[in-house]
Every structure is written in C-alpha cells, then in structure tokens.
Amino acid sequence: MKVVAYPGGFAAFTALMVLVVDEILRELLFPGISILAAHAFTVILVAVLASILLRYRFAADQAKLLETDQHANIAESTNRLLLPLLETMREGIIVVNAHMDVILYNDAATNILKLPMEGNGSEVEAGSSGQNNLGAVLATTRDQSEDKESLNSTVLQRPRLVDATRDPAINDAFRQVMEKRTSVQLRIELIGRTPRSYHLRVSPLEESLAVGVFFEITELERLERVRREFFANLSHELRTPLTAIIAYADTLETAGLEDVQNSKRFIEKLHKHATRMSKLISDISDLSAIESGHINLGLEPVRLRGIVTEIIALTESRRRDSSVSFSVSVPESLYVHADRTRLEQILSNLIDNAVKFNRPSGLVTVSAEETGERIAVVVQDTGVGIAAADLPRVFERLYRADKSRSNRIEGTGLGLSIVKHLVHAHGGQVTASSELGRGSRFVFTLSPASHEGKKEYSKARLQMPAAGV
C-alpha cells in the first residue's frame, strides 16, 4: 500500500467507527441518552482509539523505515567494497536484462566486447563514486517493470548485447538462461589481432537478469599445447636411442660375441646411445630443478674471457671432426658477477649449438661489451639460421626448429631452455635473432662485478697460480 493512499483510508475507517459507536451507545447501552451527549462521548472514545492506533502504526512504520535505512547502508557499504573489486578483476563481467540490454559491466569486459569505456552500460546513478551500483540496477529494473514508457526510454540508452558481440554462441547462451533460468557454460574464441579463448559462464539473477563471467584461457591452452608437445618430443627423443640400444643388443645376443670386430662396433654404439639417454635425463633433471627454483647460485666475480676460452677448448676437443673456426672478442678486463659453474653451462650450450648448426668451415664468434649497468655476451654463428615462425619458440623445452634434422644432429633439445632459466636466475635476459641463410645470434646479459670483487678475484688468483685462468 502506498503512503499517499493511507490518510484517505484512515478517514473512512474513523467515520465508520464513529457511526458504529454512536449507534451502540444510543440503542444498547444508554437508550435514554441525548443525541448530543452520545455524539460527544463517541467522538472522545474514537479519538482515543484512533490515537492509540496511529501511535502503533507510526511505531511500525518507523521500525520499517529504520530497517530499510539499515539495509540501504549495508548495500551502500557492500557496493563500496564490491564495485572496486569488480573493476580490478581480470575476468570480464556483464549483466544483461530480459531485453538483452547490457545494464552493468566492468572495465575488463570492455576489452572483450565492444562496449563503451565510460558509463559502464548503466545510466543508474550510483552516488559520488560514479561507478555502477548493482542494487540500484535491480531496484530500477523493478520500478521500470511497472512503467513501460520509462523502460523504453531507458533501453535506448543502453548498449545491446547483439551490438556488443556478433558471436551467436554468446547471444544464444544469454537467451537460454533467460528462458530456462539455468546456468550455461561454454568455450568461445574471439578473433581479433590475436585470437583469444574464453570460458564463459552465464547464470540467472533475480528480476529477469543474467550475469556472464568471461575467464580468459588463452594462456592455459597455450601451456597445454606446450605440455603435449613436450611429452611428444620427449618420447621421440627417448625412443630414438632406446630403439638403437635394443637393436644392437638383439644383434649381439643372436649373432654372439664371436665376431670381435662387429661386436666392438656394436658396443661402441650401445655406449653412445646410452650416453645420449643419460644426458637427456640429466638435462631434464637439471631443468626441473632450475624451473622450480631449487638451485643455489654461488655468485662471485668471474673473468669472462677465461671462461669463454675454456669452453671453446673443450668444444674443439669434443668435435675434432668439425671444420668450424672460432673468434673471441672479449676484453681481458671484463668481469661478471655470476655462478662460475652455471655460466660455463650457459656458454657451453650456446657455443655447442653454434657449432652443431653451423655450415662446414663456418665461424662462431663470441663477443662481449659493457652497456650501462649490464654486460651483454653475444654468441653468433654463420649457419643456416632459424625461420621467423620458429624463432619465438627456440627456448621451449625439446623444441626443434628443423624436425628433419632431429635424428641427424646430436643433442637433447633442452640446452636453450636451460640457458634461458639460468640467465633469468642471474637476473639477466636472453634473446635470439636470426636470418635464414645468414646465421643466428644469441645475446644474454649479466651484472658486472664490483671493483672490490675484481680485486679479491685477482688476489686469489695470484695466491693460486696453478688453478688456471
């Protein structure tokens, strides 16, 4: 009952009470009483009763008003906490009414759908914060459901869902929720400059509303693809040497060991492939420890040129049949703040790759220079290069740019991934650039050693001259 209708109803009720009491006094209780006295007594009695009723009604109305104010304060406090939270969420949130108008949405939704950045889809005044008030939206929806003209004028100011997105799956999901009032979940893919995938959940709200929440799963799907490819590549890398080991072992078992010359060759092959499997397992173990952060770096001043020359010497001794030559351009006075063992691992992987994927009689150049607060180390080769499509993935585990060469070139396919994580553990960055037919260039950065560290390093080397460079 509206408040404006209350006084008229009370007046009619009061008049009726006067007539009833007046008749009771004159006909039943006091038949001989005069009309004037009966009227006076009736008015006094009705006034007292009306006063009591009014006080009771006023107290009840006051209690309801107080309760309403309390609910309003709670809703306002909740909105002050909830709305900033919604605006900072990475998930896109939209609220749609029965007319498929978007009446409420957060900033993340504007990056997913074609929605205006300002106004946030609702013309409902939300107080001084200027943000949307879901309680106000619900209240306005209830009021406007009784006022068709007001509703139509409001709808014209709201963005429609069909204009925000042309994806039929999204529109159909909201229509289904409006009709059946049950939640719907689906995967959608939005095509833009870069395709993005979302998990959309649409659920019904009160007053013929529906809320949709967009969870972006683009990165999760990419990681899942990487995981599948990793295990596929890993099984391939293990199967190749394992197949060779089984074949040579079967040959030795069936043919016997009488053929000494072939037996020795088979045993050498068995040792080679077993070593390859051992190296792969060792690299996987190292990479797992590095990625999980279970490594401790013993940072110290290290003379960079000494490490580079040592790694080149070891590479040349392992690959005596290689015709690749080396060029070193690293200043003698250049010191880095690094873990010596891990730095050797970084350089060994990069230089070994530069030799493996180089041309016959090619060149590997290792250079370094101090740029501001960092030292940039460059390992460059003159090989066939890496295709532009493969370049962003060269640091992934077991990824090979040229699948056709995976069986012909030794290696675990984990070297560059180990390099990336070790460089990051040192606080540096590693990048790759390449041009087909011209070679590849890998650059990683490290922190320079302090002057005090250089002095301590030089003093320690003077005290231990046999320790090497």
Side-chain angles (χ1 to χ4, degrees), residues 30 61 63 72 82 99 104 194 199 228 270 289 353 410 427 435:
F30 306 102
D61 288 344
L82 180 60
H99 297 270
L104 179 70
T194 56
H199 175 82
R228 288 196 301 265
L270 285 171
N353 273 0
E410 297 179 3
E435 184 179 350

Side-chain angles (χ1 to χ4, degrees), residues 48-69:
V48 172
L49 292 176
S51 175
I52 295 173
L53 290 174
L54 281 175
R55 286 180 179 274
Y56 173 79
R57 183 56 185 265
F58 180 76
D61 288 344
Q62 284 293 102
K64 289 183 178 180
L65 289 174
L66 181 61
E67 183 179 0
T68 302
D69 289 340

Side-chain angles (χ1 to χ4, degrees), residues 72-285:
N73 291 333
I74 293 174
E76 185 178 353
S77 300
T78 302
N79 286 326
R80 281 199 300 265
L81 296 174
L82 180 60
L83 292 174
L85 178 63
L86 290 177
E87 293 303 320
T88 58
M89 289 178 63
R90 296 176 59 184
E91 292 78 16
I93 299 176
I94 64 172
V95 177
V96 175
N97 64 12
H99 297 270
M100 303 302 289
D101 305 312
V102 182
I103 61 174
L104 179 70
Y105 57 92
N106 63 352
D107 288 344
T110 62
N111 299 322
I112 302 172
L113 306 176
K114 295 178 181 179
L115 293 167
M117 288 295 295
E118 296 183 359
N120 287 357
S122 176
E123 67 291 289
V124 179
E125 187 175 352
S128 60
S129 64
Q131 297 179 341
N132 289 326
N133 185 319
L134 183 56
V137 171
L138 295 174
T140 303
T141 304
R142 283 193 294 267
D143 294 340
Q144 291 177 347
S145 64
E146 301 175 0
D147 188 350
K148 187 174 295 185
E149 182 180 354
S150 175
L151 178 62
N152 292 334
S153 64
T154 302
V155 167
L156 296 176
Q157 302 176 14
R158 291 171 172 167
R160 295 184 58 80
L161 182 62
V162 69
D163 296 326
T165 174
R166 298 294 181 179
D167 193 319
I170 299 177
N171 289 276
D172 291 343
F174 277 94
R175 289 193 184 96
Q176 183 177 342
V177 170
M178 290 296 183
E179 294 173 359
K180 300 182 179 180
R181 307 306 293 171
T182 57
S183 298
V184 172
Q185 299 186 56
L186 69 156
R187 176 195 175 277
I188 60 173
E189 185 172 347
L190 301 180
I191 306 300
R193 292 183 178 179
T194 56
R196 294 179 297 170
S197 301
Y198 294 91
H199 175 82
L200 172 60
R201 180 182 177 87
V202 185
S203 301
L205 291 178
E206 61 172 311
E207 303 297 337
S208 300
L209 298 178
V211 59
V213 183
F214 294 81
F215 301 90
E216 185 166 3
I217 56 175
T218 308
E219 183 64 14
L220 291 177
E221 290 186 343
R222 186 192 71 81
L223 293 175
E224 177 61 19
R225 288 194 300 270
V226 171
R227 185 191 68 83
R228 288 196 301 265
E229 290 179 4
F230 168 71
F231 283 107
N233 292 334
L234 178 60
S235 63
H236 172 75
E237 294 294 335
L238 288 173
R239 188 184 300 114
T240 301
L242 187 58
T243 302
I245 290 173
I246 293 173
Y248 288 122
D250 287 343
T251 304
L252 285 173
E253 184 180 14
T254 55
L257 299 175
E258 290 78 9
D259 189 348
V260 178
Q261 184 176 359
N262 284 329
S263 297
K264 182 179 180 181
R265 184 169 60 87
F266 289 163
I267 291 173
E268 289 176 351
K269 294 289 186 181
L270 285 171
H271 182 269
K272 173 185 175 182
H273 289 290
T275 303
R276 179 179 175 181
M277 287 187 65
S278 176
K279 180 67 167 60
L280 176 60
I281 294 171
S282 177
D283 282 350
I284 291 175
S285 178

Side-chain angles (χ1 to χ4, degrees), residues 15-40:
L16 179 61
M17 287 185 63
V18 169
L19 293 175
V20 171
V21 172
D22 187 61
E23 289 296 324
I24 291 174
L25 288 174
R26 290 192 298 114
E27 298 295 335
L28 298 178
L29 298 179
F30 306 102
I33 194 172
S34 65
I35 296 176
L36 181 61
H39 286 345

